Amino acid sequence: MKRRSLPVAAALAASAALLLTACGGGDDKSSDNDKIAGADQGTETPKESAKPSGAPTEDKPDGVDVSLPKDMNLVFDWNKPKNANEAAAMDDAANFFRAIYRGVDKRTTKDAAVAAYSTGGGLKYAQTQIEAWVEGGWTATGTLRHYDVTTRSAENGTSVEVAFCADSSKFYGKEIKTNKVLTTKPSIEDFDYYKLIMVKYPTSDELWQASKVFVETKAAKCQ
């Protein structure tokens, strides 16, 4: 999510803290020193993509609508891995974020996309994000970029860790009542590093769900 779209004013600090610290359940912990094998830890800012990449070929992958408004642009500058499970998990990690912002746009945590692409701690994370936007009276606008992705499979073949950076410097909150865009100045707060634990849906070989979400905010390695 846009980490600075909510706390642009001091009055929004509580909601901002909620967004910055929300994560999936479980005992796993993430820190600045917790690096994924093969992850790019460089500090060069990636070039902006001209158009969304990694987007579904249609608005209903897995039969679920993940379409978003034209002014809500989620870009995934991701190269798919050769491993089929990791590629599928990566696709649905992107769909998980599309589902969150679809919920923000529709003003509900009960959209079918949220239920389809999240479970357990991932579902709680998605609901927390959407509720904060709804309660604040905001929607989102602009471009949110995701890049420097890495994947790692568990030995059992039923879970995949998808880790990546996000740049929200051009992604803003917008007041629904006034249509005022809450612009912010670029800063380290625009960069986040995510780790998603994606699990295979028990009755499907293709659908993966976010079960846990860990976020490192102000991630200098993503600049």
Side-chain angles (χ1 to χ4, degrees):
M1 292 184 67
K2 169 63 175 173
R3 297 295 149 193
R4 299 176 63 220
S5 57
L6 300 186
V8 290
L12 307 184
S15 293
L18 177 66
L19 292 178
L20 292 174
T21 58
C23 67
D27 296 328
D28 295 2
K29 295 182 180 179
S30 177
S31 69
D32 291 352
N33 295 323
D34 187 3
K35 295 180 172 61
I36 305 298
D40 181 1
Q41 303 299 332
T43 58
E44 181 180 356
T45 302
K47 295 180 180 179
E48 182 169 356
S49 174
K51 60 181 180 180
S53 59
T57 54
E58 55 186 16
D59 287 338
K60 295 184 178 181
D62 304 305
V64 181
D65 192 349
V66 291
S67 60
L68 296 170
K70 292 182 179 179
D71 68 334
M72 198 182 289
N73 185 23
L74 271 60
V75 174
F76 297 89
D77 286 333
W78 293 355
N79 294 319
K80 283 190 178 182
K82 294 181 180 179
N83 181 282
N85 279 347
E86 293 181 5
M90 181 185 293
D91 283 344
D92 285 344
N95 287 330
F96 170 66
F97 278 88
R98 294 186 183 103
I100 289 175
Y101 284 102
R102 181 173 171 82
V104 170
D105 176 58
K106 301 298 183 182
R107 321 305 293 164
T108 180
T109 61
K110 300 184 182 300
D111 189 83
V114 175
Y117 293 109
S118 60
T119 187
L123 177 59
K124 181 180 179 181
Y125 175 88
Q127 292 171 336
T128 299
Q129 306 306 294
I130 296 168
E131 287 170 356
W133 288 84
V134 172
E135 290 172 5
W138 308 289
T139 185
T141 187
T143 298
L144 176 58
R145 297 186 55 248
H146 308 79
Y147 51 95
D148 284 357
V149 65
T150 62
T151 55
R152 183 170 60 183
S153 298
E155 292 182 0
N156 60 15
T158 61
S159 65
V160 173
E161 180 183 86
V162 181
F164 54 91
C165 289
D167 175 3
S168 57
S169 60
K170 296 183 179 180
F171 197 62
Y172 309 106
K174 183 171 70 172
E175 294 178 351
I176 292 177
K177 288 185 178 180
T178 65
N179 281 327
K180 179 182 178 181
V181 177
L182 307 176
T183 58
T184 56
K185 294 182 179 179
S187 78
I188 186 63
E189 294 184 17
D190 292 320
F191 298 93
D192 298 309
Y193 183 67
Y194 288 87
K195 292 181 185 179
L196 272 60
I197 305 302
M198 305 296 297
V199 295
K200 184 181 290 188
Y201 192 73
T203 59
S204 173
D205 291 332
E206 297 181 356
L207 178 62
W208 291 72
Q209 297 177 306
S211 65
K212 295 181 182 180
V213 180
F214 303 97
V215 188
E216 177 191 329
T217 61
K218 299 181 182 180
K221 61 190 171 188
C222 291
Q223 284 185 301

